[in-house]
Amino acid sequence: MFSKPVPADSLYLAWAAAVFPLAAFGIIMIFLRRLPKAAAGVSLSAIAVSLVCAVCLLARHWHLEMPLESTVQWMASSDFEIPVGVLIDGLSLLMLVIVSGIAFLVQLYSIGYMAGDPGYARYFGFMSLFAWAMTSLVLAPNILQLFIFWELVGLSSYLLIGFWYEKLSASQAGKKAFVMTRAGDTLFFCGWLILLVWGGTVSILDLNHSAHSLSQAMVTASALLVFGGIAGKSAQFPLMTWLPDAMEGPAPVSALLHSATMVAAGVFLLGRLFPFFSQSDAAMTVCLFIGFVSMLLSATMAMVSRDIKQVWAYSTVSQLGFMIMALGAGGYAAGIFHLTTHAGFKALLFLCAGMLIHACETNDMFEIGQAGGRRMKLTVLCMTIGALALSGIWPFSGFFSKEEIMAALAAANSPVWYIGGLAGVFLTAYYSFRLIFVILLPGSTKAHGPGSQSGPEHARAVMHAVLVILAVITLVMGFFAESLQNLLTGQGVNAPGVHGPFPAKVVSPVLAIAGIVVAWLEFGRKDSARIGFAGRISPVARLFGQRWYLDHAYGWLVGRILDRGIAEGCQQNENRVIEKILHTVAGSVTACGRAAAGWHRAMIQSKLMVVFAVVFGLTLILLAA
Amino acid sequence: MELHAAQFPFLSTLLLFCIASLGLVLVLPKNSNTAVKWVSAVCSGATLALALFLFAAYDRELGGMQFVEQYRWIPALGISCIHGIDGFAAPMLLLTGIVFFTGVLTMWHLKHRVKEFFALFILLVTGVYGMFMALDLFFIFVWFDVSLLPMYLLIVIWGSTLREYGAMKLTLYLLFGSALILPGIVYLVSVSGLDTFSLPALAQKGVFSGFEQKVAFFLFYVGFGILAGVWPFHTWSPPGHVAAPTAVSMLHAGVLMKIGAFGILRVGMFLCPQGWVHWAPLMAVLATIGIVYGALVGLRQTDLKFVIGYSSVSHMGIVGLGFATMTVDGINGAVFQMFAHGVMTALFFSAVGHFYDQTHTRQIGELGGLCRVMPVAGSYFILAALAGIGVPCLASFWAELLVFIGAFRVYPVLAIISLGVLVINALFILRVVEKTCFGPMAVHWAHLQDVTFGMAIPRAVLAAAIVIFGLMPFLMYEVIQTATIPLINGLNSLAGQTAADSINTLLSQWMSRLP
Amino acid sequence: MIVPYTHVMLLGGVLFLLGMICTLTRRNLIMIILGLEIMLNAAAITFVGAGLHLQQIEGQAIALFILAVAAAEVSVGLALVVCIYRQTGTVDPQCIEGNKCQLKPDQTG
Amino acid sequence: MTNWTLFIPELYSLGAAGVFFLFCLCRPDSRRDYGAAMILSALGLFLTVWSVGFQGSLFEGVYRVDLYSQVFKVLIYCGFFLAVCLCADLSGVDESRHSEFYFLLALCTLAMMLLVSCVHLLAIYIALELSSYSLYVLVYLRRGYQKGLESALKYFIMGAASSALMLFGFALVYGTGQSAYLVDLMRDLPGRINEPVVLIGFILALSGFFFKLAVFPFHFWAPDAYEGAPHQVSAYIATASKVAAIAVLIRIIALSGGQSDRLAWFLIVLSVASMTVGNLAAIAQKDLKRLLAFSSVAHAGYVMIGILSLTALGYASAVFYGMSLLVMKFTCFMVVVKASENGRNISTGDLAGLHYRAPVLALALLLALFGLAGIPPTMGFTAKLLIFTAAMKQGLLWLVIAAMFNVVISLYYYLQILKAAYFIEPEGQPPPIVVSTPLKLAAIAMILLMVAGGVYPGPVIDLAGDMTMGLFP
């Protein structure tokens, strides 16, 4: 076997980490819908318990030699069993801490951010639902359980994006997110079915350890299908356009779900099944390619967007693309490490954006700048720290993780990936600091500062505290790289050497600084035109601004092909063919009826004729027969 | 099949209770509306309790037919009155109890011809209960028809949009179905040479030749299939839903369509396993078409009930696909889907019913933002929608999961096609949710009332059923399993190989015949 | 028996056919009744022939009964025809349908 | 030695007819006539029920009294009694003709009672003619409705033509079968049924009964006669007359011995044609009685399914079917009588609002229509199940399916009636229909009978089986 059973105390801790938020969700939705304060309290305590459990687990199993797995059978149908359980290894412990930690911080932040919202209790209910689903997802020992919670985090994402349901765009964005991820999930499900029916196992450890005994074609097929789910969840090309739209949700939701944790679930899954994916070169190449395309495409989109949250959303897609590239290139620890650091600084960025949006009541970065967003000193400082980390500047956490990724890419089979990665580094720095400069150094500002910051004073203090905590994490996280790598790779995952050739170490920071400089030249200088190099060429700007026309393609696919094409065809078939046949049958029956009825009005002698004809005719036929 | 006699005639008690309530309703004075409603509520509550008890008391270790009662009935024709429930019937009884109870409560505000409504309603439900517990072909058919005909009056008198057309179409269609079932039953009884209508006796091995089974199964499949909404015989169903009053829609989609599927299962598959194997590919293809087609047509609908009607077609296609797999997983899933879809769609219709009562329209374009004025009703609607999409931890998910596993083993291509439809399903159901519950609210809806506490009870019961069986699917599977495994074992021993294998052989033969 | 039974049967059959043709072709209620009488008589003749053939008296007895019943039948029929004629002024079977010819009593014949 | 006790019911009927004949000579008095008719028919009903157990043979074997005939006599008398029950408001018949009306009705009943017992060709012929003549005149008795006369004439011509056909057939059967006694024929015919002359004779001989039963193509009289006759007479034709026709048809067809495919095919064609023509034509009808007439034609087709299986089971099922028809058709006509004002014909729409104008009648109508359509749990369903079982034993699956399709068609117009009764709101505010207590009791009795016949028909089926056992000596 590849695992040992989980000790009872750890098992309880793991269960508690998952179940407390579920209980909070149930209690809030059933009893506390009218009591917002109590709802927030319940939700926060539950996630705090989760966090404590997660940290205890991490501390207890810091030096884990073998994955721990325990399952009980939840449901059985013939030879097919659905077990539920927990799998504890470095990855799940790390993710558990990230998820519960960020969730805790974001919920803390939300107390102030969401204050006064009519759906306050509902918000915390959904947040608890998400916390339950996400913690259970990272603990899942088999793909089915993972899939179930995978769907549930999708559900909570749907609910939270459409949280302000009276905004039509919000509910549409929620729908879009759900349907697009569902499209990926369907592929995931198919892949899972292949593994179950033909592969015979869906246990993650079994798959990772026995993938080589399965046929190559099957591994490739199922890996690619599962990757479909990953692409959907992590908003990779071509299923990427839901994520920018998902920014319709409240900013903390974007911070928690759509940057730090939920969208990272795709990368997590890839990491979970890393040895399995490694068996198929084709699948790994596809990972690399998709990550590459998504990373660059979304970076270009971020270059021209004016919406502060959208920029971070594109950036999220781009960074997820980096992670997937890293994993595709074999840099398991690099990808996961980037996931970890990214969770911290991206949450920070979103929460800062939330503060700005809340204060200035606009999403447009230029307007925020003009409204005097820079006067919110702490916020802007934290945002700058986050942007520096995102750009990969020493000593912020992003530097370390990006370095590892670049090293992994450099070790990959083709230089294309590495060069693309470098371009990505440059673009990342460019668009991050474009935003920072626009807000920090606006050409002109209004006389008055941003409008009164809503919420009571202590709430704002809590929000600021959260920002500071995240900023500190961003600052120090990079120095834990070694220990995290030990945690992750201590269990038989053979990560290739992460220390790449010398130039790599220098080239990418230089490029990042170059990006910052370019951004300063275009946006930061006193008399700069405040228009980016991409924005100068209007077709390119339009291409980037329209998200490479991906949404148009989907609109065309759904609206024209599906809705007005196939579906309308079926509808016409329903009305014109099936109904027509029915009506023809019914009509001919009634017509026959009318004819028969008319026949009975005939003259008596005609009727007699019929009588005689039938009797004698039939008799003759019978005699002849 | 094994028969285990009952210590106490629970099943007859259940039926007699319904009949007694019906009689009581009939003899109550004309204007005693409240009394009628209370009698109906007590009747439905008591039968629900009994159904729940039977479901809980069904011995999962023992399996087979339990609570069996046998009475002589018409010896001249070999008709006896046998009641009994197995792992398929027990969930169905529970479903009927739930939908009956919630249906009665949903119609509590009815003012027009109350006595007749509840009399017909109880009659209909009696038929449904009877159908699920009967083990004699005569009684199966009798109860089957008893549960169909009241529908006509219920729709015509208390219905809405295009009710006369919808009711007539529904009734004629369903009777067309029974026009095939009755010959099928009589045919089997005649060729058996046993002079008995008793299902256990006829279900013994070797009673029917392969040809007879094929003929009879086809008749049953089409006959019951019409009621189960099998494509292309589904077109009675959406207009019927649209025309029917709320509780009748609930019962219609929640239980009646299940009677059709149950009929295929109980009569078709139990009696004609070889016919089942023979027609399974056809069933699978039609079911897949139904799944795809229902979702696609649902995409184009503008009337809420039409949307749900077509989604029912799609969901019942999943049941059909499960039956066609002839695997334990597929059948388990199909039966669970019958239950889950029943509860889900009842919740759907009860929420829509409330919308309609308040707004007097079901046109999706005219609604919007209803969650603001009726958050509770809206929540139940959304819950039903999510169950309909197949979100995990709600009952339908487990059903669909198992059906797809079974289908993937036997018909991988069809399974993948149906899986793809899940996306369309999500698209059109969420679109409806968005357009009714979300978005800006029209000003003239501001005065609308949310569901009152009393009216929320039935919805809460349905929602609880969805969530409980979604979180703890094993409660259901343990019961269903007891019936599935013997059925499939019998099927496999018949052919000497698993039926799924024989289908694969058959398919490969067909493929080889292609140029 | 001098005449073979078959011949009697044929005679009865031909007569029956003639009666039938009469009922079918004549546009007069009275002629129709006459045709019916002829058919009855054909049956009676066949009975008589059969009785002779079988050497039973029954056949002829039946024929007598038939005559009597036929008489009753004709009386009922004629009574109806008379009533019809009084009411509509016609005995044309085509005209009694839905009172079509009531306005033109002179067309009778 | 003639045992006259066996003949008591018939004598009683003759006496009853005589009483009305005497009334004809007195001053017209409708209340007196009605009262007398009620008393006499009720007594007669008891008498026939009392005579059920009689066994024996009368008049040199021409007349056979057995369970089969006696039960049918009860049924016929039931029909008579029920028709009389509907006569409380005999507004469709001229006041001065009421005595004649009852006289003819009693006479017709007598004729039918004779008919079901006769086992001799001539006796059958005479009994049949007697009943027919009474009915011709009864149809004619319609007051203030020109169609009454017209339909009587059509009825007459069609009847006379088919009895001529039948008689010619009898002649051929007599000539080839060498006897006019059914008992002898039964010995002789089965072996020779496929000889051309025998087959022609046999088929022609059936014409008269097909006419009575309104089987295609002998059904042309039915719509006109039902429509033109007084409601009570229509009811009588649809119930008692049909039962008698079934009885004697079974007696005659039993002669074939069940060995003739050709005969079976002939019957199958007629059966399917009757069902189809009857049901199709009924769809287009507005007049309720005309509609019921076509439905009778269709039901004749269903009865034929039972008969054409040419087995004891089939005959028993046809008998049961006849019984159920008696109950259901009577219920329908009861509604027609009560819903029509002054004996006028009513259309389907005139039933509007019946559910509150007369709830009991509406419920009875509902059950009767479902029964006619063969929907469980009514007597009609059991009847259909029986005939289908009988046909299926002969392997006629497709015939059963065809019949079921016809049931679906028929359901369309039955549901239209039901919709009118239960759903359509009448124009204005028609007053509630006054249903007298006896009639209400009758309606409830019918409801119970229909439901009992659907739910627990065992005893009746056994009875029908015992009856037909007697046909095979």
Side-chain angles (χ1 to χ4, degrees), chain B residues 225-394:
Chain B
I226 287 177
L227 188 54
V230 168
W231 190 92
F233 307 111
H234 64 282
T235 57
W236 61 273
S237 158
H241 287 306
V242 172
T246 304
V248 178
S249 289
M250 287 165 67
L251 209 63
H252 167 179
V255 180
L256 274 190
M257 292 179 89
K258 277 64 199 180
I259 288 190
F262 188 79
I264 297 178
L265 185 66
R266 177 67 91 225
V267 184
M269 300 183 187
F270 270 73
L271 292 186
C272 319
Q274 279 170 280
W276 179 19
V277 176
H278 182 79
W279 293 108
L282 176 76
M283 289 170 78
V285 170
L286 288 185
T288 310
I289 295 178
I291 295 172
V292 178
Y293 188 89
L296 285 173
V297 180
L299 209 54
R300 295 298 295 166
Q301 301 307 313
T302 55
D303 185 306
L304 267 181
K305 278 191 164 182
F306 264 121
V307 175
I308 308 172
Y310 280 106
S311 83
S312 291
V313 172
S314 186
H315 285 129
M316 289 306 288
I318 292 177
V319 175
L321 187 61
F323 284 163
T325 61
M326 299 175 296
T327 57
V328 177
D329 294 335
I331 303 220
N332 275 348
V335 176
F336 196 1
Q337 171 75 348
M338 282 157 71
F339 179 86
H341 176 251
V343 180
M344 181 270 283
T345 197
L347 182 58
F348 238 142
F349 277 115
S350 77
V352 171
H354 185 74
F355 291 167
Y356 183 68
D357 289 342
Q358 291 290 320
T359 62
H360 302 290
T361 180
R362 284 189 310 254
Q363 288 303 310
I364 295 169
E366 296 173 21
L367 299 168
L370 291 183
C371 259
R372 179 153 158 209
V373 274
M374 30 179 108
V376 178
S379 308
Y380 286 124
F381 184 77
I382 294 167
L383 181 69
L386 294 178
I389 292 171
V391 167
C393 297
L394 298 179

Side-chain angles (χ1 to χ4, degrees), chain B residues 73-74 76-77 113 138 141-142 145-146 149 152-153 156 163-164 171-172 175-176 179 183 186-187 190 195, chain D residues 355 366 370 375-377 381 385-386 388-389 392-393 404-405 408 411-412 415 419 422-423 455-458 462:
Chain B
W73 203 258
I74 312 174
L77 291 177
R113 294 169 77 175
F138 172 81
F141 187 79
V142 166
D145 266 16
V146 167
L149 263 293
Y152 178 77
L153 288 174
V156 155
R163 51 184 165 181
E164 292 175 45
T171 316
L172 289 188
L175 261 291
F176 182 79
V186 177
Y187 176 72
S190 302
D195 262 338
Chain D
H355 69 95
L366 180 141
F370 281 167
I375 306 295
F381 166 68
L385 181 72
L386 283 169
F388 290 162
T389 311
M392 202 65 89
K393 287 252 161 81
M404 282 309 285
F405 284 175
V408 177
L411 199 71
Y412 175 72
L415 286 182
K419 186 171 78 182
Y422 269 92
F423 165 60
V455 176
Y456 195 72
D462 292 341

Side-chain angles (χ1 to χ4, degrees), chain B residues 3 70 77-80 82 135-138 189 194-204 271:
Chain B
L3 302 179
Q70 299 206 35
L77 291 177
I79 294 168
S80 51
I82 316 178
L135 287 182
D136 184 277
L137 291 176
F138 172 81
V189 170
L194 295 178
D195 262 338
T196 174
F197 279 72
S198 151
L199 194 87
L202 292 174
Q204 286 158 350
L271 292 186

Side-chain angles (χ1 to χ4, degrees), chain D residues 133-407:
Chain D
Y133 295 167
S134 322
L135 285 177
Y136 301 151
V137 183
L138 277 169
V139 171
Y140 161 73
L141 281 180
R142 181 73 177 272
R143 178 180 70 173
Y145 191 67
Q146 202 261 331
K147 278 208 113 175
L149 184 53
E150 181 196 323
S151 42
L153 188 75
K154 286 180 181 169
Y155 191 14
F156 167 75
I157 291 176
M158 197 56 75
S162 38
S163 61
L165 282 175
M166 174 186 77
L167 203 57
F168 192 69
F170 276 178
L172 294 181
V173 168
Y174 171 66
T176 47
Q178 308 188 354
S179 168
Y181 284 98
L182 299 191
V183 191
D184 300 332
L185 290 173
M186 195 145 209
R187 256 195 322 268
D188 201 29
L189 273 186
R192 306 170 51 196
I193 189 72
N194 283 330
E195 289 174 23
V197 178
V198 179
L199 192 65
I200 294 178
F202 203 80
I203 287 175
L204 289 180
L206 295 174
S207 317
F209 315 111
F210 288 158
F211 161 76
K212 271 273 179 228
L213 193 56
V215 172
F216 176 90
F218 301 90
H219 69 288
F220 285 104
W221 60 274
D224 290 320
Y226 277 57
E227 189 185 0
H231 302 330
Q232 291 79 0
V233 175
S234 305
Y236 186 75
I237 295 175
T239 53
S241 169
K242 288 285 182 304
V243 170
I246 292 171
V248 66
L249 191 60
I250 292 173
R251 260 208 207 286
I252 299 294
I253 286 189
L255 295 183
S256 71
Q259 298 301 320
S260 172
D261 279 351
R262 288 179 175 172
L263 181 64
W265 273 102
F266 176 73
L267 298 176
I268 286 173
V269 171
L270 290 197
S271 156
V272 173
S274 300
M275 289 187 284
T276 316
V277 169
N279 281 326
L280 285 178
I283 292 178
Q285 300 309 320
K286 290 275 181 300
D287 188 298
L288 193 53
K289 274 163 68 188
R290 212 175 157 81
L291 188 151
L292 286 171
F294 280 113
S295 124
S296 286
V297 175
H299 282 282
Y302 298 132
V303 172
M304 295 281 288
I305 294 179
I307 295 176
L308 62 81
S309 65
L310 304 177
T311 56
L313 177 63
Y315 300 145
S317 65
V319 169
F320 188 90
Y321 205 102
M323 295 176 185
S324 69
L325 271 185
L326 176 74
V327 175
M328 297 181 299
K329 273 279 153 60
F330 168 74
T331 313
C332 293
F333 275 101
M334 180 164 69
V335 174
V336 172
V337 168
K338 294 314 289 182
S340 78
E341 290 166 46
N342 297 324
R344 280 210 304 267
N345 273 19
I346 59 169
S347 70
T348 322
D350 291 335
L351 291 177
L354 188 71
H355 69 95
Y356 68 85
R357 293 173 69 200
V360 179
L361 284 188
L363 182 61
L365 180 68
L366 180 141
L367 281 170
L369 292 178
F370 281 167
L372 287 173
I375 306 295
T378 57
M379 202 172 182
F381 166 68
T382 317
K384 286 227 164 66
L385 181 72
L386 283 169
I387 58 167
F388 290 162
T389 311
M392 202 65 89
K393 287 252 161 81
Q394 302 302 107
L396 297 169
L397 174 62
W398 64 269
L399 176 65
V400 175
I401 292 180
M404 282 309 285
F405 284 175
N406 263 292
V407 166

Side-chain angles (χ1 to χ4, degrees), chain A residues 601-603 605 609 612 616, chain C residues 20 23-24 26-27 97:
Chain A
R601 302 245 175 232
M603 196 187 51
Q605 279 170 314
M609 177 88 94
F612 295 141
F616 287 103
Chain C
M20 233 161 73
T23 56
L24 292 179
R26 299 306 297 266
R27 285 288 141 84
E97 285 291 338

Side-chain angles (χ1 to χ4, degrees), chain A residues 8 73 76 106 174 192 278 372 398 410 488 494 586 593:
Chain A
Q73 180 187 306
V106 168
W192 175 79
S278 310
L488 285 174
N494 300 317

